[in-house]
Amino acid sequence: MLRRLSANDPRFRRVDFSAGLNLLVADTTDVSGDKDSRNGTGKSSMVELLHFLLGARADKRSLPARKALRKIAFSLELDWPSADGGLLTATRSGAHPEVVRLSQDVDADEPVRESLFDIDVAGPVDIPATRWTKLIEAELFGLRGEHPGLSGRTMLSFLIRRISSHAFNTPTRTYSQQSEADAAANLAYLLGLDWKLAGGYREISAREATRRQLRQAVNDPVWGRIVGSTAELRGQITIAEEEVRRLEEQIKAFRVVPQYEELKRRADEVDREIRALNSQDSIDQRNLADLQAAVRDTSDGDVRYLEPVYRELGILLGDQVKQRFDDVKDFHRSIIRNRQRYLAEEVDSIENRLADRAVQRERLGAELQQVLRTLNEGGALEALTALQQALAQKQASVEALRHRYEAAQTLEASALEIKAKRLDLQRALKDDLDERATQTSEATVLFSEFAQRLYGSGRQAYLEFDAGPSSLRIVPHVDSDDSRGIGNMVIFCFDLTMAVVAHRHGRGPDFLVHDSHLFDGVDDRQLRDALELAAEITEREGIQYIATLNSDDLEKAERRGYDASDKTLPVRLDDEYDDGGLFGFRF
C-alpha cells in the first residue's frame, strides 16, 4: 500500500494514506471567484507525483521538471516485502530524474551509488530510475526474468490513470495512441490470461507495418533499386556466394613464401641481366656480320697488267723498277695477311663472347624459371592479407544482399500468409480462453457485481473476452444510454475488477488510484454507491483505494446519505490562499 507522499520543501502539504478508502478533497471557499479553479489545487498533481516516484519517464514537460519544482525532492513511502520493517521510501527530484534514492538497499545486485540528494534519510542508496522500474515489476507485479511485451509502467498506468494521458477515454487503454495489442497483453497478465498469446499480435502488427512501409517505399524509384526483387536478389546472392567460395579456396591453398619480396627482386634482376645479354648479343652479331664481310673483301691487289701497259707505251721497265714493284706487292700482301689475321681474331672473340652469353643466358633462364615457379606456387603475407580483406568485403556484400532479400521477401509476403498467421493466433487464443474459463468467469462475475451495485440488479453487465483479428479484445459492457457518467463508472468497475483479480493472485499491487475527473458527470446516487462499494471491496480484499474529489461532488454523495467522515484525508486542498494547494505555493 501507499503510505505517505511528502517533499523536502516545508510548504508541501504532506499526504498520509491509510488502508481501505482514502479521499483527498479539494474545497472551494466563500471568496472563490468565477475564475478560481480547483483544477490548480493539486489533485491531478498528486497523481503525477505518484507516477514520477514510481519510475515514470521524466522530461522537460513533466511536472517535477518545472522551474519552481526542480530543486524539490519528492518522496513516497510504501509497503515493500523485502524491506526491513516492511516500509520503503523512494525519493526523486526533477533536477536528477535519472536517479531514485531508496531509504534502504533492497537491491543487492546493484552497486550503491553516491547520493545526489541533500536530505537526511537513514541508510539511503541511489539507483538508476530504470533499475527502480525493474524492482517495481519484480516486487509489485511478480515479473522476473524476460517478459517481452509486458511493462510494469503500463500496468501502473491502468492502476493510476492520468488525465494528462487521456486515460479516462476508454477502459482498456491508458493513452489514446496506445497499441491495442500492447494494452491487451498487459491486461491479460493482470487478469490471469495467456499474455504471451495476447502479445503475439504485436509481432503480426509489426510485420504488417513493415510490409506497408516497404510497399510504399518500393514505389519510390530510388528505394525500389535499393530493395529490389527476390528473383533478382536470389541470382545476385548465388553469384556472390560463389565468389566467396573461390576466395575461400584460394586462401585455403595459399602458401606464404617468407622471402617473397627478395625472390621477386631477384627475378627482376635476372630478367634485366637476360635482357642486357640479349642486347649485347645483338650488337656483337651485327659486328660479326661486318667483320665476316670485311674478311671476304680483303685480297691481294693484281698489278700484272702494269708491264704490258708500259710495253705498249714503248716504255721498258728496268730490273730496278720491277724489283720495286715486287717489293710493293710483298708489302701489300703483308698488310693483307695482317688484316685478315686481325679480322679472324675479332671474329673468334665475338663468337666466344656469343657462346659465353648463351651459356650465361641458359643458366639465368633456369634460375628465373625456378624463382617464378616458387612465386607462382605461393605469395607474400601481404598478398594473403589482401585476399582475406577481399573475402571479408565479399562476405559483407553477401550479408547485405541477404538483408535486402529478407526485406524483399517481407515486401512480397502475401496478405494471405499474414492472414493465416493471424488466424492461427486467433484459434490458439480462442482455445486458451476456453481453457481459462475460471479466470474469465472470476473477472466477469466481479465486474457484473460491481456494476449492478451501482445501477441495480436489472442492469446487464459483463466482460467480453474475444480473440479478435488484431488483438485480444477485453470489452466491458453495461446496459446504458452511453452517457459520460455511465462511461466513467464502467472504467471504475473495470479498474476495481482488475485491481482485485491481480492482487488476489499476486500479479499486482494492493492499491488503486483515481483522479477526480473520473467522477465528472456522474449521478450523485452512483457516486455514493461507488464510494460505498470502494470502501467495502477494499476492506474485503485487503487493498487500498485512493480517490481525489471536489468538495461539491462529495457533498452530493453526502446528501444521499454517504458518510465520509472517516474516509477523508486530514489534508484538504483549497484555492483561497497561495498556500492552499498541494505544493503550498502557486507557480
Side-chain angles (χ1 to χ4, degrees), residues 466-532:
D466 183 34
S470 58
S471 73
L472 166 65
R473 295 179 66 250
I474 304 174
V475 184
H477 289 279
V478 175
D479 286 347
S480 67
D481 57 3
D482 293 329
S483 69
R484 178 184 176 186
I486 291 182
N488 285 358
M489 286 299 95
V490 170
I491 294 177
F492 171 84
C493 294
F494 180 77
D495 287 356
L496 192 58
T497 299
M498 174 180 57
V500 169
V501 171
H503 179 252
R504 279 181 179 178
H505 302 282
R507 291 188 297 269
D510 52 1
F511 57 80
L512 176 66
V513 181
H514 277 151
D515 186 271
S516 63
H517 291 83
L518 178 69
F519 304 106
D520 289 346
V522 176
D523 180 85
D524 51 0
R525 290 171 299 177
Q526 276 70 54
L527 177 57
R528 176 202 62 192
D529 293 343
L531 295 178
E532 290 179 346

Side-chain angles (χ1 to χ4, degrees), residues 155 184-196 432-433 435-440 442-443 465 472 474 497-498 501-503 505 507-508:
M155 288 185 274
N186 286 276
L187 285 175
Y189 176 79
L190 292 171
L191 295 174
L193 306 179
D194 191 332
W195 60 271
K196 292 183 179 179
D432 182 73
L433 289 174
E435 294 175 0
R436 296 178 189 260
T438 301
Q439 288 86 342
T440 57
E442 178 186 21
F465 295 89
L472 166 65
I474 304 174
T497 299
M498 174 180 57
V501 171
H503 179 252
H505 302 282
R507 291 188 297 269

